[in-house]
Amino acid sequence: MAEVNLAVEILFEGNGTDEQFEAFIEEIAVQLDAIGREHNLAARIADRTAEIDASFEADTFEAAVAAFLGDVRTALHAVGCGTPDWPTFRPTRRIVRELQDA
């Protein structure tokens, strides 16, 4: 197994305010913590963009990507992405890339 460092950039569209989007992003971080996924999360509130990065011990890049996207999907679902009566923020684009060690 090797350590694989990944980042995903997610662009959202929605009808909520900047404050609601910021709270949405903060809750994603809470949910990633709740499932035990160490991560870094940064957002550009005005652009409705978030970037999440994390490291995985995996046999292959593809296995790390599958685990990473599963964790991200779990966190997004937990924060109500698409739940009625919540401000709507839907992913419209995803970019996943492998990060190199510094």
Side-chain angles (χ1 to χ4, degrees), residues 63-74:
V65 169
F68 183 39
L69 293 180
D71 288 351
V72 170
R73 183 175 54 243
T74 298

Side-chain angles (χ1 to χ4, degrees), residues 10-25 28 45 47-49 76 79-92:
I10 306 170
L11 174 64
F12 295 90
E13 62 181 21
N15 60 0
T17 66
D18 286 353
E19 292 76 19
Q20 288 171 318
F21 184 69
E22 185 172 10
F24 172 77
I25 293 298
I28 292 171
I45 301 300
D47 295 335
R48 299 294 193 258
T49 302
L76 289 173
V79 300
C81 214
T83 300
D85 301 325
W86 281 50
T88 305
F89 298 105
R90 290 176 298 279
T92 58

